[in-house]
Amino acid sequence: MKPFKTLTTRSASEGGHNQDDANHTGTLHRGLESRHISMIALGGTIGTGLIMGSGTALVRGGPLGLCLGYAFVGLLCYLVMIALGEMSAYLPHRKGFAGYATRFVDPAFGFAVGWNYLMKYLIAPASNINAACIVMQYWTQSVPLEVWTVLLVNLLGVRVFGELEFWMSSFKILSLVGFILLAIVIDLGGNPLHDRIGFRYWHAPNGPMGGYLLSHVHNDSFATFLGFWSTLTSALFAYIGTELVGVTVGEAKNPKRNVPRAIKRTFVRISIFYIGFVFAISLIVPSTSKALFVANTSKPGAAASPIVVGITLVGIRSLNNVVNAIILIFTLSAANSDLYIASRTLHGLALEGKAPSMFAKANQMGVPWSCLLSVVVFCSLAFLNVNASSAAVFTYFVNLLSAYGALTWMAIAYTHIRFMGALKTQGVSRDTLPYKAPLQPYGSWFALVCTGVIMLFKGEWRYGAYGAQSTGGD
């Protein structure tokens, strides 16, 4: 591993540009404005992992375990994001995470980080497109056109992406706020049954903690721990993708001002939208509900969302189509973001010479078309779910997303540690940075270690000391 490097691009980055701008014609455009960056940070990656996958965490961890798990992983997410924000504001460039890893750790490390992140987003669009197809099948068995829609949107250019994602993110945020308010109203008795639920579902036998794999481990305390740990892995999958803001740096106007502003708002997103949503559903959905268990294991679409289970339990049966439409918007927005990230990551690798040079080109609108078309090819992975055997293989790909994302978080945290070491070696005070991340250097170390532990134990035992069987991850 190489020693700390000299920080030589300070003056070049003062105006929000880097040396890349001068060396590459036909490259990415800085077309993302402050409102685009801020809204993408708040809602750009909110997807099925939260609105659909949180039910699984509720079943396994119970209401208290669900909230604690999402709060803890939310803290890790915040620490990673502020670390990324400090580096992005100081050295905004078009090379993504791999550029920082190459500069402050080692070129080999940067190569691994870049391709790890690319592999994640080569799989992610197919996962979300498949989810969109499943949601569409709630209404019709016709083949949907999401693949072509997302492709055309990304080919139109970064301004169109930013504008569309701005409105999609706005819609998702309003939807989540609506879900939270609806759950609170239901909990306080504003439902057809006029039943004031309160914290009823936080008491036995529904809570406060779950008893995951109790029939296998035959130990209440250990089953409670396994339930809580399972919520960590579910939460990790839901939060991963927040680092999208770091990828948008290359196309952000005035990144020194806009990126830190977006990063700071991550705390609002985590505390209100993620933790607020899981707390709300924990109030109106019992963790022992058979409907919730079936929804999270076999029945996709609107019924897979715990919010639908909650409103159905109190006699509200007219919102399923509405919620299904909202979930469709969530999946399309996530697929749109995934294609954007994958194409820009591949472009950044090409700029560094870590991918074929053909991917370093962009058209006059600033779209790396060769990267985008190559990434779209991997969307055909969605067709693996045509038959049952291929569905099992596709599930393995989906489970890889959490591992790829966790490795990315760890890489960002470690790169930031090296970045702070480089500043110290060169005698540069962090107080002079455009954005100084709080809770450092301990925050990055804490995020690095905890994310590594969660990732290491994400897989569940197939044949453990207690004979527990794996469910194949979250």
Side-chain angles (χ1 to χ4, degrees):
M1 184 178 296
K2 64 184 180 183
F4 296 124
K5 292 191 66 175
T6 304
L7 305 177
T8 58
T9 59
R10 171 70 171 170
S11 59
S13 61
E14 285 296 339
H17 300 275
N18 203 347
Q19 197 65 30
D20 312 336
D21 302 340
N23 294 341
H24 295 277
T25 59
T27 185
L28 304 182
H29 294 175
R30 293 194 181 273
L32 295 180
E33 300 176 358
S34 176
R35 65 187 181 93
H36 296 147
I37 299 294
S38 298
M39 192 56 67
I40 289 172
L42 287 175
T45 54
I46 297 176
T48 55
L50 174 64
I51 197 171
M52 295 172 67
S54 53
T56 301
L58 177 61
V59 170
R60 296 177 177 178
L64 180 58
L66 172 70
C67 295
L68 290 178
Y70 271 75
F72 182 77
V73 178
L75 173 62
L76 300 182
C77 177
Y78 176 70
L79 294 175
V80 170
M81 288 299 293
I82 59 176
L84 176 61
E86 183 171 286
M87 294 187 294
S88 299
Y90 184 78
L91 294 173
H93 59 57
R94 295 175 163 86
K95 299 178 181 179
F97 312 121
Y100 298 121
T102 297
R103 182 176 183 82
F104 298 114
V105 183
D106 190 87
F109 185 71
F111 180 90
V113 170
W115 279 96
N116 170 79
Y117 200 64
L118 177 62
M119 290 299 297
K120 175 182 183 293
Y121 283 100
L122 290 178
I123 298 173
S127 173
N128 282 295
I129 290 172
N130 179 74
C133 294
I134 294 174
V135 172
M136 287 294 294
Q137 289 176 353
Y138 183 80
W139 294 303
T140 177
Q141 297 296 316
S142 300
V143 178
L145 299 176
E146 286 83 6
V147 175
W148 309 112
T149 302
V150 175
L151 171 60
L152 290 174
V153 166
N154 279 268
L155 282 174
L156 288 176
V158 64
R159 290 183 185 274
V160 176
F161 163 80
E163 196 66 28
L164 181 68
E165 196 60 36
F166 172 82
W167 291 108
M168 279 188 170
S169 297
S170 301
F171 178 80
K172 290 193 291 185
I173 290 172
L174 290 176
S175 299
L176 281 179
V177 172
F179 289 154
I180 294 172
L181 293 178
L182 175 62
I184 293 176
V185 170
I186 291 175
D187 182 69
L188 296 178
N191 56 73
L193 302 179
H194 304 290
D195 179 20
R196 191 181 188 280
I197 302 173
F199 282 87
R200 180 189 309 164
Y201 297 142
W202 280 56
H203 300 287
N206 300 298
M209 302 294 289
Y212 185 44
L213 296 178
L214 179 61
S215 60
H216 294 285
V217 299
H218 306 294
N219 184 295
D220 291 339
S221 299
F222 190 49
T224 298
F225 170 77
L226 291 179
F228 169 71
W229 196 266
S230 179
T231 66
L232 297 181
T233 61
S234 297
L236 182 64
F237 178 76
Y239 279 110
I240 283 174
T242 312
E243 67 282 346
L244 165 63
V245 179
V247 180
T248 63
V249 171
E251 296 176 85
K253 292 181 178 179
N254 194 1
K256 287 185 173 295
R257 183 194 66 183
N258 293 333
V259 172
R261 182 181 300 176
I263 296 293
K264 292 176 183 178
R265 292 174 182 172
T266 302
F267 179 77
V268 177
R269 170 193 169 188
I270 292 172
S271 59
I272 296 179
F273 302 127
Y274 278 85
I275 301 176
F277 178 77
V278 297
F279 174 73
I281 65 172
S282 73
L283 293 176
I284 65 172
V285 183
S287 61
T288 56
S289 171
K290 296 299 182 180
L292 182 63
F293 180 77
V294 172
N296 280 280
T297 55
S298 61
K299 190 175 182 181
S305 174
I307 192 68
V308 175
V309 176
I311 62 179
T312 302
L313 289 175
V314 294
I316 304 176
R317 303 182 184 277
S318 59
L319 293 180
N320 284 8
N321 287 325
V322 176
V323 174
N324 198 66
I326 293 174
I327 294 176
L328 179 61
I329 297 297
F330 276 41
T331 56
L332 290 178
S333 174
N336 184 47
S337 299
D338 292 340
L339 283 180
Y340 173 87
I341 299 173
S343 60
R344 271 56 179 185
T345 300
L346 181 56
H347 181 72
L349 289 173
L351 291 179
E352 287 200 314
K354 295 170 181 172
S357 58
M358 62 175 289
F359 296 121
K361 300 178 181 179
N363 62 20
Q364 294 180 349
M365 301 179 68
V367 177
W369 58 271
S370 58
C371 298
L372 183 58
L373 293 178
S374 299
V375 170
V376 167
V377 172
F378 283 85
C379 292
S380 59
L381 288 172
F383 292 103
L384 287 174
N385 261 356
V386 171
N387 58 65
S389 60
S390 294
V393 177
F394 183 76
T395 301
Y396 299 148
F397 283 144
V398 174
N399 289 333
L400 283 173
L401 297 177
S402 295
Y404 285 138
L407 287 172
T408 300
W409 280 15
M410 294 169 64
I412 292 173
Y414 182 65
T415 301
H416 184 245
I417 293 171
R418 296 280 295 182
F419 169 74
M420 291 185 291
L423 291 174
K424 184 177 180 180
T425 299
Q426 300 301 321
V428 178
S429 173
R430 292 181 61 239
D431 294 329
T432 64
L433 300 181
Y435 171 66
K436 179 182 178 182
L439 306 176
Q440 301 300 337
Y442 309 105
S444 291
W445 278 109
F446 184 78
L448 173 63
V449 173
C450 291
T451 304
V453 173
I454 294 174
M455 187 196 70
L456 182 64
F457 292 98
K458 182 186 184 302
E460 299 163 24
W461 299 276
R462 282 192 180 274
Y463 303 101
Y466 296 91
Q469 295 182 352
S470 171
T471 59
D474 294 305

